[in-house]
Amino acid sequence: MANSSSETEELYAQIHRRMVESGEWDRILRLLSSKLSENGWSDELCHHAKERARTMDPLSFRTIVEEVSPDAQASIPLAIKREITNVIRQYVKDQFEK
């Protein structure tokens, strides 16, 4: 079983490297950022972080990130998750068809 996990990690690393080298990774990140911004998610996250920062003494960026991250990840709209997942799936599919 460990071999399978190791193989999966290696495959992930290869695909990720290929995505970065081809520019696809940046394109997907820009798409994700755009979708989250259009949806108001980015503004809401920023507001939440600012509110947390106002009550924090001493102010710690790392603590804010640690506290806000779980809610931020959980609040990404399902439609956006699906869209980005489909983009990644299509890229991977296209890579294996070549």
Side-chain angles (χ1 to χ4, degrees), residues 33-83:
S33 179
S34 172
K35 295 291 180 181
L36 291 173
S37 184
E38 289 171 9
N39 188 267
W41 181 91
S42 300
D43 291 338
E44 184 62 33
L45 179 63
C46 186
H47 175 72
H48 183 64
K50 283 181 184 178
E51 288 301 313
R52 179 60 188 108
R54 285 189 181 109
T55 63
M56 187 178 284
D57 188 33
L59 185 60
S60 167
F61 178 75
R62 177 173 287 169
T63 301
I64 292 171
V65 170
E66 289 171 355
E67 291 179 6
V68 172
S69 289
D71 290 337
Q73 291 174 4
S75 68
I76 295 173
L78 185 56
I80 294 174
K81 286 181 185 180
R82 286 182 178 154
E83 182 177 351

Side-chain angles (χ1 to χ4, degrees), residues 19 22-34 84 87-88 90-91:
M19 290 177 84
S22 71
E24 187 67 11
W25 187 256
D26 287 336
R27 187 186 76 77
I28 292 171
L29 287 178
R30 284 192 306 273
L31 176 63
L32 175 61
S33 179
S34 172
I84 297 302
V87 169
I88 294 169
Q90 187 61 49
Y91 176 83

